[in-house]
Amino acid sequence: MFRPYDTADTDWSKQVRKTACRLSIIVILLWTVGTAPAQARQITDMAGRTVTVPDVIGKIYGTSPPATLMAYAMDPSLVAGLNMPIKPDDAPYLDPRMTSRPVVGGWFGQGRVASMETLLALQPDIILVWWWQHSAMDEKMANTLAPLGIPVVYMALNQLADYPEAFDFLGMLLHREARAGMLGSYARQTLAESERVRRAIPDDARVSVYYAEEADGLSTECHTSVHAELIPLSGGENVHRCIQRTRVGKQKVSMEQILNYDPQVIVAHERLFFKHIAADPKWQNIRAVQQGRVYRIPSRPFNWFDRPPSFMRLLGLKWMLHHLYPDHTAIDIVSETRQFYRLFLNVDLDEAAARKLLAP
């Protein structure tokens, strides 16, 4: 889980105390050295805050993967540092300018924090934060970052429908309206296509979907969870209907519950689960297994469905439409994958590479 700030408080506070003295010294040294004054301007970020930012922004640090990946999509050279190391198998699907960046860390759950020393050394022009609507953790993080003197800009990315506006915002912020327009246009067209399909499907004809998580497949997300947002967006019916109690998600369910749900489609990204489900006798009475409609979610370089909840979900939404309602869409998913990687990731895939990404 990348977003929810679930157990970080204690560890994070300790981390802050340990580094406070060192940071103060580093900040004083940096101020002593001094930098040339830059042209500045005021903008209103997506949280409605007035922020003074450099007129020309060349380096961005995102405090979590969704924010960092938005900067990458605008221009890989903008990314000042990474939230986590790039896996060797993911590197071929990313611009080399991204993979060569130092790892700073970030605030994205499970006690993770950034290396403040590394962040200070990088001196990004702005810090981009995925704004979680007045979260207490957002406030704590802002207080931690404030002494650095680097402008902190909030961006709303709470649901896929926020992405077109988020790209518009980055276009304004970075003076790159043309690039933002291309990315935002793709997002708007994808959301419009999914709405068209949803309208064409009667309620009683919607495909029931189970989102299997973890190696045993016995964790899932409530139908209200942002982690399973692509199911309703693609016109599917999430079989696990409940109220999400935590941001972490991954609700435990029993095999009996899944047998009662009897979903028509199962989506999963755990290779081990996908490998064994076809031969596991416990799953053989479920329609999705009997009809060969168990699909493994593509995940390189980042998950197309969830965790982190990035713009990759735009392609994931088309992948879901392709699998749920092939008679209502004309999506060539191989061609679509190649187009998406070229547009958002600045990576050219040949047809074989695209098919490899889509293979379970």
Side-chain angles (χ1 to χ4, degrees):
M1 172 64 201
F2 288 90
R3 175 59 193 168
Y5 303 118
D6 40 14
T7 61
D9 287 7
T10 302
D11 292 343
W12 184 28
S13 298
K14 291 179 180 177
Q15 178 82 5
V16 169
R17 286 195 296 271
K18 287 180 180 176
T19 57
C21 293
R22 284 178 288 170
L23 289 177
S24 298
I25 294 171
I26 295 171
V27 170
I28 291 169
L29 288 174
L30 287 171
W31 284 351
T32 301
V33 172
T35 57
Q39 295 293 323
R41 63 187 172 119
Q42 287 192 329
I43 59 102
T44 301
D45 69 12
M46 295 186 76
R49 301 158 58 248
T50 300
V51 185
T52 300
V53 300
D55 189 50
V56 178
I57 295 172
K59 289 194 296 183
I60 298 174
Y61 165 66
T63 58
S64 63
T68 300
L69 296 181
M70 289 296 283
Y72 173 95
M74 291 296 295
D75 183 343
S77 69
L78 290 170
V79 177
L82 305 175
N83 301 117
M84 63 185 74
I86 300 293
K87 298 176 183 175
D89 289 344
D90 293 336
Y93 303 104
L94 291 167
D95 188 294
R97 289 172 291 179
M98 173 81 162
T99 58
S100 63
R101 293 294 189 264
V103 176
V104 182
W107 290 268
F108 45 103
Q110 299 179 352
R112 299 181 179 94
V113 295
S115 164
M116 302 299 280
E117 291 94 338
T118 305
L119 179 56
L120 271 170
L122 289 172
Q123 281 291 290
D125 295 318
I126 65 167
I127 296 173
L128 194 60
V129 176
W130 173 16
W131 177 50
W132 193 254
Q133 299 180 340
H134 308 297
S135 156
M137 186 58 70
D138 279 356
E139 184 178 349
K140 291 179 181 178
M141 181 169 54
N143 291 337
T144 301
L145 294 172
L148 305 185
I150 301 170
V152 176
V153 177
Y154 284 9
M155 180 170 52
L157 295 170
N158 297 326
Q159 54 187 351
L160 201 57
D162 291 335
Y163 277 72
E165 186 178 350
F167 283 122
D168 292 345
F169 171 73
L170 287 179
M172 176 278 297
L173 178 67
L174 305 172
H175 297 304
R176 300 188 187 211
E177 288 83 357
R179 172 65 178 163
M182 295 168 62
L183 301 173
S185 177
Y186 185 99
R188 288 185 171 89
Q189 290 174 10
T190 300
L191 292 167
E193 171 69 0
S194 70
E195 183 177 2
R196 182 192 67 76
V197 173
R198 290 198 305 274
R199 290 180 181 276
I201 307 297
D203 287 345
D204 60 2
R206 295 188 184 280
V207 175
S208 58
V209 181
Y210 175 68
Y211 176 26
E213 296 182 284
E214 306 293 3
D216 63 1
L218 298 179
S219 296
T220 191
E221 304 294 337
C222 294
H223 74 288
T224 55
S225 169
V226 67
H227 299 297
E229 185 184 14
L230 293 194
I231 296 175
L233 279 178
S234 60
E237 188 78 21
N238 188 337
V239 294
H240 192 55
R241 304 191 69 77
C242 55
I243 302 299
Q244 189 80 12
R245 300 296 183 190
T246 70
R247 293 176 185 170
V248 177
K250 293 192 175 182
Q251 310 283 317
K252 295 303 294 183
V253 293
S254 66
M255 196 68 230
E256 289 73 21
Q257 277 179 279
I258 300 172
L259 288 167
N260 286 331
Y261 290 153
D262 193 20
Q264 295 168 282
V265 162
I266 295 175
V267 294
H269 52 68
E270 290 287 346
R271 181 180 295 277
L272 189 61
F273 170 77
F274 184 83
K275 182 178 179 181
H276 293 296
I277 186 174
D280 190 332
K282 295 192 299 293
W283 294 81
Q284 299 311 302
N285 291 326
I286 296 173
R287 280 183 296 175
V289 178
Q290 293 174 340
Q291 297 171 8
R293 300 191 73 184
V294 181
Y295 304 114
R296 184 158 183 262
I297 300 165
S299 60
R300 297 201 186 284
F302 307 107
N303 197 309
W304 291 16
F305 192 91
D306 184 27
R307 293 186 177 88
S310 74
F311 58 74
M312 295 299 296
R313 291 180 300 159
L314 294 166
L315 182 56
L317 180 53
K318 293 200 172 186
W319 178 81
M320 287 288 289
L321 292 168
H322 167 74
H323 282 303
L324 297 192
Y325 302 109
D327 295 336
H328 289 269
T329 60
I331 298 172
D332 178 340
I333 195 62
V334 174
S335 175
E336 192 69 39
T337 299
R338 297 179 67 187
Q339 177 191 346
F340 184 93
Y341 275 62
R342 186 178 307 114
L343 177 60
F344 281 83
L345 300 174
N346 196 38
V347 172
D348 280 319
L349 298 177
D350 60 23
E351 183 173 332
R355 291 189 182 280
K356 183 178 179 181
L357 273 173
L358 292 161

